[in-house]
Amino acid sequence: MSEAAANLEQKEKKSSSSISNLSIFVKLLLKSKTGMLGLIILLIATFVAIFADLLAPYDPVEPHLSYILTPPAWQEGGTSQFILGTDNLGRDVLSRLIFGTRVSLIVGVLSVVVAGAIGLFFGVISGYFGRWVDQVMMRIVDAFLSIPSILFIMVILTVFSPSLWMLIIVIGLTTWVNYARIIRGEVLSLKEREFVKASQTIGTSHWIIIWRNLIPNVMSTFIVISTLSVATTIILEASLSFLGLGIQPPDISWGGMLNDGRDYLATHWWMGTFPGIAITVTVLGIIFLGDWLRDVLDPRL
Amino acid sequence: MNLLEVKNLHTHFHTDRGLVPALNGVSFSIKKGEVLGIVGESGCGKSVTSLSILQLLGNKGKIEKGSIQFKGQELTTFTKKQMRKVRGDEISMIFQEPLTSLNPLIRVGKQIAETILLHRENYSKNQAKEHAIKMMKMVGIPQAEEKYSQYPHQLSGGMRQRIMIAIALACNPDLLIADEPTTALDVTIQEQILGLMKKIAHETGTSIIFITHDLGVVAEMVDRVIVMYSGQVVEENDVVSFFEAPKHPYSQGLINSTPAIDQGQKLEAIRGNVPAPANKPNGCPFHPRCPMASDICKTTVPKNTYFGKQEMVNCWLYDKEAKTS
Amino acid sequence: MSKIVEETAKEAFGKVTDEPILEVKNLKTYFPISSGKWFNKETKYLKAVDEVSFYVNQGETLGIVGESGCGKSTTGNSIIRLVEPTAGEVWFKGENIATMKSREFKPFKKNIQMIFQDPFSSLNPRMHVFDIIAEPLRTNKMYQGKDLEQRVYELMDTVGLDPDLANRFPHQFSGGQRQRIGIARAIAVKPELIICDEPVSALDVSIQAQILNLLNRLQRDLGLTYIFIAHGIPAVKYVSDRIAVMYMGEIVEMADKDALFKATLHPYTRKLISAVPSTDPKKRTIGEEQAIADELNQGESDVVGCKFADRCPLARAHCREVRPDLRQLRSGHFVKCHYPLEQEALEENV
């Protein structure tokens, strides 16, 4: 009789849940205006970064000496040749902005990858094994937390010469602790869940439990923190470049452009304002997307 | 006159994933001094019924149709401000989990006194405190004066539920809604709380709506039972006839599938699953699980059949017209 | 005197036990609770399981009942070593599995499985049902490829699930179906003993009976032995052959089901049984408010005498001074009380 009952259960189920997860995902994305906006901004930024060579009207480092400090096209004295104007060396602001997208996104994404990998490893291991492993690993995290990160980065970057890769590694090394702490907390509660215990009673090895039970279940949290920290890293990179410790000329970054524009802010506002807007818009877009992801990924799915 | 009369109540929830009809035409009434039991499983709408009465449905739930008459007043037309006056004063509620329904940062006695001050403007702070201590003694809290200034976490689960009851009774309500008040408690503590609620019903004459899934608690506590299934009342009966001769196949199934302490019969499970409110079957909502379902059950919702004033069943088996045709 | 009683209890164990598949002796599981002082820390212990001894015969169901915090779940977890016992012995088929190294214990894990309470947290939400049920088979390398598939489908069928649903995720199932998945996972490796930790208390009333009947059927068909841990006394009564009652980390009474209910010996057991509301409205048992005894204090206190003495209506001075031992009063009926109920009745008559 219970077979019959079960069959019946299944029939009920079959009709109800045949919609795939992906389509729900898309539907929810279409419903959220901010999430959609975030995604569009990020997609545009990525597109621009990839096709910078094709999109930029000029070589971003090429000085147009006769057009030094030309205002944007719509202002008096502006020319349609340089839509967003030129800087103090006569370089096209628009082209520099387009190429700057590359650096910002690369630094943003790759240092998050570095930080995320270290943080995930630390968090999962110390949360799952607990006891002295946890003690040791969390003290290391505390040590990292107690150093002012900007100071740490400045010291490293003055000792080693600042390059793109150095920047990525250094930013990654200072931000991983956030991941470690949050993931550890998540793992602490996950490992008390009964499905982890069920695996233990079967005799599943620790590494398989970590791989199959823990990591997939912290993934949603991980994705959300990662997205949001792409935003903070972009700002961090901009601040470092602004301080002159980031990307070195002739490479272009938004922070560097801000730095260049600082002295001209009162007289030639476009030099600093456009990179500023670019940073703000990109970061906002990523935060919108991250917030939306948090809403969607949190319940289960 | 009935203290509370709910007629043809439809409550729907508008969620991100679509409309969820939680209640589809619920009607029942409760007299002064009566203890009414609402029995049902998860998702049957028993809690939504109580939240509809108090209009605590949040911003997604809405009463679409129907009336709730309380002491001759129509509650569905009340403004938020009017409802706030009713809640905690004339109708109050006890929830399942006493730890989460008490504010952890406020002393328990003060939480009782605050309820009193909220609804009794002529009380001074000292009077409220005195009254709170009186309530604590009434619900059987030993050393009430000392316990007055303790925090919720310092009390045991049973004591916390007593505090909840004291808060609910502080303004001497006409109607007390108890939503699974003992489900989170151990059986020996449950015994004490049920005993206390019996005493309250006896001494104060407060009408009580007792919402539970535990048939033992029903048999122990209530005068009259309504059984809910999938947002509808499927049977209404006085408690003795309900257990002796349940009419609706679902009621029969519930009783037969509940292990009893004093009987050793084999359990007969109801097949299938409790339907989610969002995807209810056509016709009688119970028909996919009903051992006696016939063709008409699959297509048409049955009408209520009444036996005298007290008994009602919503099932085609008892519908005379259906039988003759 | 207590020594002697202990001896007799031990002897008795030897006699009654026909074919015990599991024998637990003086099991202790303590959790350290650090006291508030910074220096001069003295560690106190929460005695979750305190000198628990019992046995389970092949093919029977031993029910363990008690209120929250009485240590019944910790007992189950200690047997299967989800928590490491502090002391004591757990004999499973002639081997003491409590003191084994975890590597030696591994092959035994296959023989002892567990069914958990919460069907919503006991299944990994990111795994397909197929993989959930296949996990124990893969871990123990019992089946591969086509055979594995075959076995998983067969298991789903056994517990009353449609094998077509193997590619769904747990959240697409109802509570009762999820519990069936959990049961399929537990029986996958053909265990001999299954510890059921509150397997129905999170389910709807009408679903509970389905699961209880399924467990009964599987026991019959597969020759399983169960330890059924629950706080719902009627459900325990329904499935168990013998029942152990726990109070504050100790077994206070253990007997055949009928003897436990009809000839109750321990005052706590009597209190527990009488507190369960009857499903007959004409036999209402709960009186209007009785005297309140304060509730249990989680086993922290260092009571010298009987742990139930403070709440016991029949406690005498002796009870507060000397801890009673678990002794056998009738064949197979054990009690931890100086003045068991029936004896007391006898004494009063005299």
Side-chain angles (χ1 to χ4, degrees):
Chain A
M1 113 112 230
S2 63
E3 260 84 3
N7 281 339
L8 195 104
E9 287 172 19
Q10 266 88 59
K11 289 217 176 84
E12 278 170 22
K13 270 283 150 190
K14 261 181 192 163
S15 55
S16 66
S17 54
S18 48
I19 329 154
S20 76
N21 286 344
L22 191 71
S23 76
I24 295 178
F25 207 74
V26 173
K27 218 186 267 171
L28 285 171
L29 183 60
L30 289 176
K31 257 189 186 169
S32 157
K33 289 190 187 87
T34 48
M36 206 56 206
L37 184 65
L39 188 71
I40 290 173
I41 291 173
L42 200 65
L43 285 178
I44 292 176
T46 318
F47 181 80
V48 168
I50 293 171
F51 298 105
D53 296 302
L54 301 174
L55 291 170
Y58 300 97
D59 184 341
V61 291
E62 181 195 351
H64 303 269
L65 294 176
S66 46
Y67 290 101
I68 282 172
L69 291 171
T70 311
W74 60 88
Q75 254 197 334
E76 213 187 311
T79 157
S80 57
Q81 276 177 288
F82 303 102
I83 297 174
L84 297 182
T86 59
D87 68 2
N88 54 337
L89 296 176
R91 298 173 296 196
D92 180 31
V93 171
L94 179 63
S95 305
R96 292 180 69 74
L97 219 49
I98 289 171
F99 275 90
T101 316
R102 257 188 197 173
V103 169
S104 289
L105 285 192
I106 288 174
V107 172
V109 171
L110 286 188
S111 52
V112 160
V113 169
V114 172
I118 306 175
L120 186 68
F121 177 80
F122 251 70
V124 170
I125 299 295
S126 79
Y128 180 71
F129 288 104
R131 303 200 205 193
W132 65 267
V133 180
D134 187 36
Q135 288 292 326
V136 172
M137 292 181 103
M138 279 302 120
R139 293 302 79 79
I140 296 174
V141 168
D142 288 347
F144 266 91
L145 270 180
S146 59
I147 306 168
S149 56
I150 201 90
L151 199 72
F152 175 75
I153 296 173
M154 281 169 74
V155 169
I156 301 258
L157 287 180
T158 22
V159 175
F160 303 95
S161 64
S163 70
L164 184 66
W165 298 110
M166 206 55 204
L167 204 63
I168 289 168
I169 290 168
V170 162
I171 294 179
L173 278 180
T174 48
T175 51
W176 67 272
V177 282
N178 298 325
Y179 293 85
R181 293 193 78 95
I182 296 170
I183 299 290
R184 171 180 171 268
E186 196 97 326
V187 168
L188 280 182
S189 84
L190 267 178
K191 77 168 176 181
E192 292 304 318
R193 295 271 291 276
E194 287 173 340
F195 67 83
V196 176
K197 291 189 173 169
S199 288
Q200 287 170 350
T201 62
I202 290 159
T204 312
S205 74
H206 292 316
W207 298 107
I208 292 182
I209 289 179
I210 287 173
W211 184 246
R212 302 267 290 255
N213 288 337
L214 298 180
I215 291 186
N217 282 296
V218 296
M219 232 36 216
S220 60
T221 312
F222 182 74
I223 290 171
V224 173
I225 336 172
S226 305
T227 329
L228 293 176
S229 50
V230 170
T232 45
T233 338
I234 288 178
I235 292 180
L236 192 56
E237 180 272 323
S239 330
L240 288 172
S241 300
F242 184 77
L243 293 173
L245 286 164
I247 302 300
Q248 299 300 310
D251 286 343
I252 306 147
S253 78
W254 291 343
M257 289 173 72
L258 261 183
N259 190 19
D260 294 341
R262 183 178 48 173
D263 295 338
Y264 297 88
L265 211 53
T267 48
H268 306 93
W269 60 271
W270 56 90
M271 268 184 72
T273 309
F274 289 119
I277 291 173
I279 292 171
T280 313
V281 169
T282 314
V283 166
L284 259 181
I286 293 169
I287 288 174
F288 282 160
L289 190 72
D291 272 349
W292 170 78
L293 275 175
R294 172 162 52 207
D295 292 347
V296 181
L297 295 176
D298 246 9
R300 60 199 159 105
L301 205 99
Chain B
M1 195 188 79
N2 289 324
L3 178 72
L4 177 82
E5 202 157 336
V6 175
K7 271 191 196 143
N8 196 25
L9 189 66
H10 288 72
T11 299
H12 294 177
F13 286 86
H14 303 268
T15 68
D16 288 346
R17 304 190 180 199
L19 180 87
V20 178
L23 297 184
N24 308 291
V26 169
S27 305
F28 64 92
S29 62
I30 180 168
K31 291 200 255 316
K32 185 140 186 45
E34 193 179 28
V35 182
L36 174 75
I38 300 184
V39 190
E41 300 177 279
S42 61
C44 75
K46 53 190 198 299
S47 291
V48 179
T49 306
S50 64
L51 294 176
S52 299
I53 295 170
L54 289 167
Q55 298 189 22
L56 288 172
L57 291 164
N59 43 16
K60 287 191 173 155
K62 200 175 161 240
I63 296 175
E64 303 284 335
K65 217 163 76 178
S67 90
I68 301 167
Q69 297 248 334
F70 176 69
K71 295 205 285 190
Q73 297 162 297
E74 180 58 50
L75 289 189
T76 50
T77 61
F78 272 33
T79 60
K80 281 186 178 160
K81 202 175 159 195
Q82 284 174 304
M83 267 323 289
R84 263 202 299 276
K85 270 194 116 79
V86 172
R87 285 197 291 262
D89 189 1
E90 294 170 90
I91 307 178
S92 54
M93 189 152 178
I94 314 171
F95 296 92
Q96 175 175 344
E97 188 40 76
L99 187 55
T100 50
S101 27
L102 286 169
N103 185 333
L105 299 178
I106 301 179
R107 298 171 197 279
V108 291
K110 207 162 172 220
Q111 299 194 40
I112 306 174
E114 276 178 357
T115 317
I116 300 166
L117 286 171
L118 199 67
H119 293 288
R120 299 279 181 273
E121 278 144 13
N122 53 344
Y123 270 56
S124 71
K125 278 199 173 166
N126 273 334
Q127 280 173 309
K129 181 174 176 178
E130 261 171 49
H131 190 77
I133 290 175
K134 206 180 96 197
M135 293 310 301
M136 289 171 74
K137 284 180 177 155
M138 185 188 139
V139 296
I141 293 172
Q143 294 120 31
E145 285 86 354
E146 266 170 55
K147 294 259 162 53
Y148 183 91
S149 47
Q150 289 194 324
Y151 290 96
H153 72 266
Q154 293 172 300
L155 301 177
S156 64
M159 283 299 154
R160 284 195 288 257
Q161 196 58 295
R162 283 172 197 270
I163 296 287
M164 281 308 297
I165 295 174
I167 292 175
L169 292 176
C171 296
N172 197 17
D174 300 292
L175 177 64
L176 176 66
I177 302 176
D179 191 350
E180 305 265 8
T182 58
T183 308
L185 303 175
D186 277 323
V187 61
T188 54
I189 311 305
Q190 162 172 294
E191 184 187 21
Q192 293 174 5
I193 298 293
L194 293 181
L196 170 66
M197 294 189 70
K198 268 188 184 170
K199 179 183 121 183
I200 287 160
H202 196 231
E203 283 177 6
T204 63
T206 303
S207 307
I208 302 178
I209 296 181
F210 218 106
I211 297 171
T212 181
H213 66 274
D214 186 336
L215 288 179
V217 173
V218 172
E220 190 66 52
M221 297 298 292
V222 312
D223 304 322
R224 210 151 50 82
V225 183
I226 68 174
V227 182
M228 289 189 67
Y229 188 80
S230 196
Q232 273 164 257
V233 177
V234 296
E235 179 165 353
E236 177 178 344
N237 212 333
D238 79 89
V239 68
V240 176
S241 350
F242 173 75
F243 281 97
E244 273 177 2
K247 288 202 163 58
H248 198 282
Y250 176 62
S251 316
Q252 292 167 0
L254 268 189
I255 292 175
N256 288 336
S257 60
T258 304
I261 187 88
D262 39 13
Q263 282 148 31
Q265 90 283 29
K266 171 129 176 58
L267 296 185
E268 285 172 40
I270 307 178
R271 60 186 178 163
N273 289 308
V274 184
N279 42 2
K280 283 202 314 192
N282 288 332
C284 171
F286 188 60
H287 87 258
R289 307 177 67 191
C290 182
M292 289 178 267
S294 56
D295 286 340
I296 188 164
C297 304
K298 290 172 192 157
T299 53
T300 323
V301 180
K303 287 198 285 275
N304 291 348
T305 309
Y306 294 89
F307 304 85
K309 266 191 174 169
Q310 289 264 307
E311 277 184 69
M312 185 283 282
V313 63
N314 181 268
C315 177
W316 284 117
L317 288 174
Y318 299 89
D319 194 297
K320 286 203 183 85
E321 288 164 42
K323 269 188 185 159
T324 48
S325 67
Chain C
M1 116 149 206
S2 64
K3 264 270 171 341
I4 302 165
V5 176
E6 199 176 310
E7 289 304 318
T8 54
K10 270 184 187 160
E11 244 172 70
F13 266 116
K15 273 179 209 158
V16 177
T17 307
D18 296 323
E19 244 186 290
I21 184 171
L22 183 86
E23 219 177 329
V24 174
K25 284 180 186 166
N26 296 323
L27 186 72
K28 289 182 192 174
T29 306
Y30 293 177
F31 297 112
I33 0 171
S34 34
S35 55
K37 285 170 199 160
W38 271 90
F39 301 101
N40 193 11
K41 241 187 201 174
E42 78 184 87
T43 326
K44 279 186 177 172
Y45 288 96
L46 173 75
K47 299 180 176 178
V49 178
D50 199 7
E51 299 222 20
V52 160
S53 302
F54 63 87
Y55 59 89
V56 192
N57 287 332
Q58 184 96 41
E60 75 167 354
T61 301
L62 174 75
I64 301 183
V65 279
E67 298 180 279
S68 54
C70 74
K72 54 188 191 300
S73 289
T74 313
T75 305
N77 288 343
S78 306
I79 292 170
I80 203 165
R81 293 190 44 189
L82 275 176
V83 291
E84 289 296 326
T86 311
E89 300 161 22
V90 178
W91 291 88
F92 181 76
K93 301 181 91 184
E95 302 250 17
N96 184 359
I97 55 172
T99 50
M100 278 179 178
K101 297 229 170 62
S102 56
R103 189 157 301 149
E104 293 169 328
F105 180 56
K106 215 174 168 187
F108 286 90
K109 283 188 172 174
K110 215 172 69 178
N111 291 317
I112 310 175
Q113 281 296 300
M114 194 148 181
I115 297 169
F116 295 88
Q117 170 177 8
D118 186 350
F120 290 87
S121 92
S122 61
L123 307 177
N124 185 344
R126 311 267 164 185
M127 267 161 86
H128 288 287
V129 169
F130 183 92
D131 293 321
I132 290 174
I133 299 174
E135 187 187 352
L137 298 169
R138 287 188 177 130
T139 305
N140 292 291
K141 301 194 175 68
M142 290 175 74
Y143 293 88
Q144 258 128 23
K146 269 264 169 273
D147 290 343
L148 179 73
E149 256 173 57
Q150 203 59 47
R151 173 73 178 149
V152 171
Y153 295 148
E154 186 187 300
L155 282 164
M156 289 183 77
D157 193 53
T158 311
V159 298
L161 287 168
D162 184 351
D164 290 349
L165 302 178
N167 286 324
R168 298 264 169 103
F169 284 101
H171 75 258
Q172 295 171 296
F173 292 86
S174 68
Q177 288 173 314
R178 285 157 159 263
Q179 201 54 295
R180 287 174 196 268
I181 298 170
I183 292 171
R185 171 177 59 191
I187 62 172
V189 287
K190 299 181 179 158
E192 292 170 69
L193 174 68
I194 297 185
I195 299 172
C196 312
D197 190 0
E198 303 267 11
V200 297
S201 34
L203 301 176
D204 271 318
V205 182
S206 70
I207 309 300
Q208 290 188 6
Q210 288 178 6
I211 298 298
L212 292 178
N213 285 342
L214 172 66
L215 287 172
N216 273 344
R217 199 191 80 214
L218 292 174
Q219 178 165 50
R220 213 176 44 232
D221 295 352
L222 307 175
L224 296 168
T225 306
Y226 290 141
I227 295 179
F228 189 93
I229 299 167
H231 70 273
I233 292 147
V236 172
K237 190 185 173 195
Y238 180 65
V239 296
S240 307
D241 300 306
R242 288 189 309 124
I243 296 173
V245 180
M246 284 190 75
Y247 182 75
M248 286 175 79
E250 297 178 346
I251 289 184
V252 295
E253 185 165 2
M254 179 165 65
D256 284 347
K257 170 167 72 180
D258 291 333
L260 190 87
F261 282 88
K262 289 195 183 114
T264 312
L265 290 178
H266 200 284
Y268 177 67
T269 313
R270 185 172 71 179
K271 188 177 168 59
L272 206 58
I273 294 171
S274 73
V276 178
S278 154
T279 49
D280 185 349
K282 284 181 293 186
K283 283 195 244 163
R284 294 193 171 173
T285 49
I286 296 176
E288 293 187 0
E289 265 293 66
Q290 320 127 326
I292 300 164
D294 245 346
E295 292 150 34
L296 30 154
N297 45 357
Q298 299 293 333
E300 274 177 60
S301 68
D302 305 308
V303 188
V304 190
C306 171
K307 286 184 180 171
F308 186 58
D310 285 343
R311 292 175 77 194
C312 183
L314 307 167
R316 306 179 196 180
H318 183 56
C319 299
R320 295 179 211 281
E321 285 154 16
V322 183
R323 172 87 41 98
D325 288 300
L326 190 67
R327 56 192 170 131
Q328 181 167 221
L329 273 194
R330 288 192 217 96
S331 162
H333 199 148
F334 299 85
V335 66
K336 198 171 206 164
C337 179
H338 291 303
Y339 306 104
L341 291 168
E342 289 211 330
Q343 265 198 339
E344 180 213 60
L346 281 177
E347 277 169 32
E348 267 168 26
N349 284 341
V350 174

